Amino acid sequence: MNNGDQLPSRMKLCRLLDTSRATIDKAIKELEKEGYLESHIGSGTYVARRLEGVNSEVMNWCLIVPDITENIYGRMAGSIERAAREWNVNIILCNSENSSEKQSEYIKRLIMAGVDGFIIVPVVMKTVVEGIGLYQSLVQSKIPFVFCNRDVEGVYAPIIKSNDFYGGYIATLHLLDHGYRNIVFLALKRYRTSIERCQGYISAIQHRNQEIVRKRILMLDNDNIEDCHDSLLSLLKSEIPVDAVFCFNDDIAFQAIRAVEDAGLRVSDDVGIMGYGDNESLLDMEIPLTTITHKTEDVGKLAARVLRKKMEKKEDEIFEYYLIEPEIVVRKSCLGKT
């Protein structure tokens, strides 16, 4: 919508966005406070004219991420912004804080504000029905959008992500190639991404004709990262042999290092540790962490390109699924047993 355009009636917006009148009224009030909309008694609500005189060809895209404090999403936002800048596109960054309600609110508000496109890292859904319901208003609005990092079952949109299966596969092969044989997979939650990395871990072990030991697969399904430390420490003190840990992400790898040290063992020499994510905040650890990089910048850059093609109606050039191959960043946490 352009400056001065009138919004549809409240009733029509309720149907379009599949939401209540109270939600629409709340969203409009907030957009009025922020200067995006202006209401006239007896006339209706309009896109604010505060930006008249500027280049009307400038577009606004919204990027919604689960947690902007995570290193991966900061890097993704940077790469998207750099690509968008070349095309005269503004990026509106929204932090859903892993809340489906907050993500839904952002989507509905920005649809009404006239945003031109969305790049979304979806929150983790409990059910297929929940996922479809969350994005129904976006599908009905006909505004182009793409997903990053994970898709939403039942919602058709291009997905751009790092290949988690391949990442798990090369991480485990790296440990096997350095002499580790009793490798643990450690993850906090069980969802598509952790399952794909676990499948890569299992495939690598099978590829080398090693035994899959179910008790070495720790997928905790809770929200307390300290439990990763406790679960691994308990396993290290058991009779089950452990000489390496492939961790779902670098924060869990930090907990794994603590557990190894608390068990009186040496990182790398006794138990190799492999992380995932290449978190820059962990570079100063006493033993630098070997990890997998998502190549997040490449994911963000490609997401921006795909969204631009959708804006230009180049559907015949767009694939449904884009996979970026992750890479190993070799440091000193799993150099081999001594």
Side-chain angles (χ1 to χ4, degrees), residues 1 4-10 12-13 24 28 31 36-38 43-48 111-114:
M1 300 184 74
D5 285 353
Q6 185 175 10
L7 263 64
S9 68
R10 300 289 205 277
K12 189 172 182 179
L13 285 172
I24 292 293
I28 287 176
L31 289 167
Y36 291 106
L37 299 177
E38 51 188 30
S43 174
T45 303
Y46 299 82
V47 178
I111 287 173
M112 288 193 294

Side-chain angles (χ1 to χ4, degrees), residues 258-318:
R258 287 182 52 230
V260 169
E261 293 173 344
D262 289 347
L265 301 169
R266 299 167 299 171
V267 172
S268 185
D269 294 339
D270 296 320
V271 182
I273 303 293
M274 169 72 72
Y276 207 115
D278 197 18
N279 190 333
E280 294 174 357
S281 67
L282 300 178
L283 289 177
D284 294 331
M285 292 192 304
E286 184 176 348
I287 300 178
L289 181 65
T290 296
T291 187
I292 302 293
T293 175
H294 298 88
K295 300 178 78 172
T296 302
E297 291 85 353
D298 291 347
V299 172
K301 187 187 300 183
L302 182 54
R305 289 177 182 170
V306 173
L307 180 58
R308 189 186 184 201
K309 286 181 180 179
K310 286 183 70 69
M311 306 288 297
E312 296 172 347
K313 310 293 185 184
K314 295 182 178 179
E315 299 290 345
D316 58 325
E317 298 181 15
I318 298 174

Side-chain angles (χ1 to χ4, degrees), residues 34 36 59-82 84 89-97 102-103 105-107 109-110 115 117-121 148 296 300:
E34 295 171 11
Y36 291 106
M59 291 191 295
N60 295 301
W61 293 353
C62 175
L63 169 62
I64 305 179
V65 300
D67 186 354
I68 193 58
T69 64
E70 289 190 25
N71 184 54
I72 178 178
Y73 298 124
R75 297 204 304 247
M76 179 184 291
S79 65
I80 291 172
E81 193 278 331
R82 286 190 292 274
V89 173
N90 298 317
I91 298 296
I92 301 169
L93 178 60
C94 297
N95 183 18
S96 69
E97 298 180 342
K102 191 168 184 179
Q103 182 173 281
E105 181 181 340
Y106 276 133
I107 290 171
R109 286 180 58 197
L110 288 161
V115 73
F118 286 86
I119 298 174
I120 302 173
V121 180
C148 283
T296 302

